[in-house]
Amino acid sequence: MTQTMLSARLHEYQKPLIVENVKVPNALGEGVVVKVGGAGLCHSDLHLINGEWKNAIPLALPKTPGHEVAGWVEEMGNLVPKGMFERGDLVAVFGGWGCGSCLACKRGDEQMCLIAKWPGLSQHDGGYSQYIAVPSYRFLIKVEGSRLRPEEIAPLTDAGLTPYRAIRRFRHVLVPGTAIAVIGIGGLGSYGIQYAKMLAPNSTTIAVDRSDKKLRFAKNLGAEHAIKLSENTRKEVMEITQGRGVDVVVDCVGAENTISASVALLAKGGALTLVGLFGTKICAPLMSTVINEYQITGSLWGNYNELREVIELAKQGKVKHTIQTFKLEDINNAINLLRNGQITGRAVITPNQ
Ligand SMILES: [Zn+2]
Ligand SMILES: [Zn+2]
């Protein structure tokens, strides 16, 4: 292995990332060094780079962001069980690096670990780099027997995982005759529409976005109805659902206006599940929330087994990938395009191309 590699690092908040040479990490203990094939660009990276999370997630800069990673096993530490991986294996990196022993980890939700360390969002450097040090082989999923490319696998570890968990948790209420709405057809929402069709095949799927282009995109992904986010959204949704409203709303934006629009769409007993982190607070009308027994809940990322399921669906060819790839050198361009809402699907950085 060469001694240095290119990484895109955050040196100062609100400044472009700097692509520079750093030392290649070593694989220690049960750790594995992965050669990065693809690293998806997430809205969370924008919040991080903007410095919005510097108090919530204090980082020692410079830091390499990137928490949506897939690539090939490059080097293994001496405690990785023999025969589990071979050099060159294609792997997805599960990003919720938990301690493995707290209550959440033992329950299987390592992304909820009390002392979680997420790549690019903790002291561990992330995937906008030619190589990434993954602290344990436990966080890798081997992707065998498919034609999936790393740049297609990478977004599945977050954009393609988060809406899966959010919808899967409410699958039991989505019986025939119910409706599910996905708000915001960006990186997460484009997968959300597909999972709504898969996990709730007998429910009506409604896409809501402010962009006509993204609504057409949602239709191509299988949404039965695509509705513009406006003052008339509620009226149109009520017509589609014969005045009943929507049983599950997945808000992939999380802005104050999308949250209040989402609450207004709910059927009696309906659930709003929040995954987007655009805004800062939730505002819902107290009276209708109580008398209609709305459930308003957050959903964080996904766990290891959910990622396995998502990868399985992708291997079976059931997940459509809409990605735009960028070289590591062009990462700041990709960041600006995402900031301006000009990415359809997911932007993926390919540091070794
Ligand atoms: Zn993310
Ligand atoms: Zn833990």
Side-chain angles (χ1 to χ4, degrees):
M1 201 200 281
T2 47
Q3 291 307 298
T4 62
M5 62 175 184
L6 283 176
S7 290
R9 303 208 296 169
L10 176 67
H11 281 254
E12 215 180 317
Y13 291 115
Q14 299 181 343
K15 291 275 164 64
L17 301 183
I18 297 175
V19 179
E20 59 192 339
N21 269 304
V22 298
K23 205 173 155 288
V24 176
N26 290 113
L28 304 172
E30 61 179 44
V32 177
V33 171
V34 171
K35 182 176 180 180
V36 178
L41 190 62
C42 180
H43 275 280
S44 298
D45 294 316
L46 303 186
H47 296 296
L48 179 84
I49 292 166
N50 290 346
E52 292 163 37
W53 291 354
K54 64 182 170 192
N55 296 324
I57 308 175
L59 295 178
L61 302 183
K63 175 67 49 197
T64 305
H67 54 274
E68 247 188 37
V69 187
W72 304 273
V73 169
E74 176 73 18
E75 196 196 345
M76 287 168 277
N78 61 343
L79 298 179
V80 177
K82 295 281 167 269
M84 192 169 267
F85 294 99
E86 300 288 334
R87 186 169 184 265
D89 278 348
L90 181 59
V91 288
V93 178
F94 170 69
W97 295 348
C99 70
S101 59
C102 73
L103 212 61
C105 285
K106 286 295 181 199
R107 197 173 59 206
D109 287 329
E110 289 207 31
Q111 84 283 11
M112 304 271 286
C113 178
L114 283 174
I115 49 165
K117 297 173 180 72
W118 300 343
L121 295 161
S122 67
Q123 75 267 35
H124 291 274
D125 281 319
Y128 301 145
S129 184
Q130 289 183 295
Y131 297 91
I132 179 173
V134 179
S136 174
Y137 63 90
R138 294 191 298 111
F139 305 131
L140 299 179
I141 295 177
K142 213 195 283 192
V143 186
E144 293 174 294
S146 83
R147 289 200 191 154
L148 289 173
R149 292 174 287 135
E151 55 268 41
E152 294 169 330
I153 299 167
L156 296 177
T157 67
D158 177 16
L161 175 59
T162 302
Y164 183 77
R165 176 180 177 86
I167 296 171
R168 193 182 184 280
R169 293 167 82 204
F170 289 100
R171 183 163 62 164
H172 60 286
V173 299
L174 290 165
V175 297
T178 55
I180 173 167
V182 178
I183 316 289
I185 311 302
L188 276 72
S190 57
Y191 290 103
I193 291 293
Q194 300 183 64
Y195 298 139
K197 297 299 297 175
M198 277 182 249
L199 299 174
N202 301 308
S203 299
T204 303
T205 300
I206 304 167
V208 180
D209 199 288
R210 59 183 181 186
S211 142
D212 290 322
K213 191 178 164 203
K214 291 190 174 167
L215 290 175
R216 284 195 297 276
F217 179 49
K219 279 261 189 184
N220 287 335
L221 294 170
E224 278 126 28
H225 302 275
I227 293 176
K228 196 147 178 151
L229 184 63
S230 70
E231 312 83 76
N232 290 326
T233 309
R234 181 172 191 277
K235 190 166 158 275
E236 290 180 55
V237 166
M238 287 301 163
E239 274 166 26
I240 291 166
T241 57
Q242 286 90 42
R244 232 175 49 79
V246 176
D247 301 277
V248 176
V249 179
V250 185
D251 185 348
C252 297
V253 183
E256 274 148 48
N257 70 320
T258 61
I259 296 170
S260 42
S262 297
V263 174
L265 303 183
L266 289 173
K268 275 188 183 288
L272 165 61
T273 174
L274 297 157
V275 293
L277 291 169
F278 192 85
T280 51
K281 55 179 179 288
I282 300 167
C283 195
L286 176 65
M287 184 68 134
S288 50
T289 301
V290 172
I291 65 172
N292 296 309
E293 293 197 344
Y294 294 153
Q295 298 182 64
I296 299 176
T297 166
S299 184
L300 176 69
W301 210 340
N303 67 29
Y304 184 92
N305 283 332
E306 287 159 347
L307 179 56
R308 255 187 207 288
E309 292 170 24
V310 161
I311 289 174
E312 200 48 52
L313 291 170
K315 279 166 68 176
Q316 293 171 18
K318 291 180 179 159
V319 180
K320 282 187 203 157
H321 309 276
T322 308
I323 53 170
Q324 235 172 299
T325 59
F326 294 84
K327 293 195 162 134
L328 191 62
E329 293 80 356
D330 298 328
I331 191 165
N332 290 306
N333 177 27
I335 289 170
N336 287 333
L337 289 171
L338 181 64
R339 242 184 215 133
N340 299 329
Q342 288 168 312
I343 299 283
T344 302
R346 202 62 153 178
V348 181
I349 312 300
T350 55
N352 281 293
Q353 270 182 14

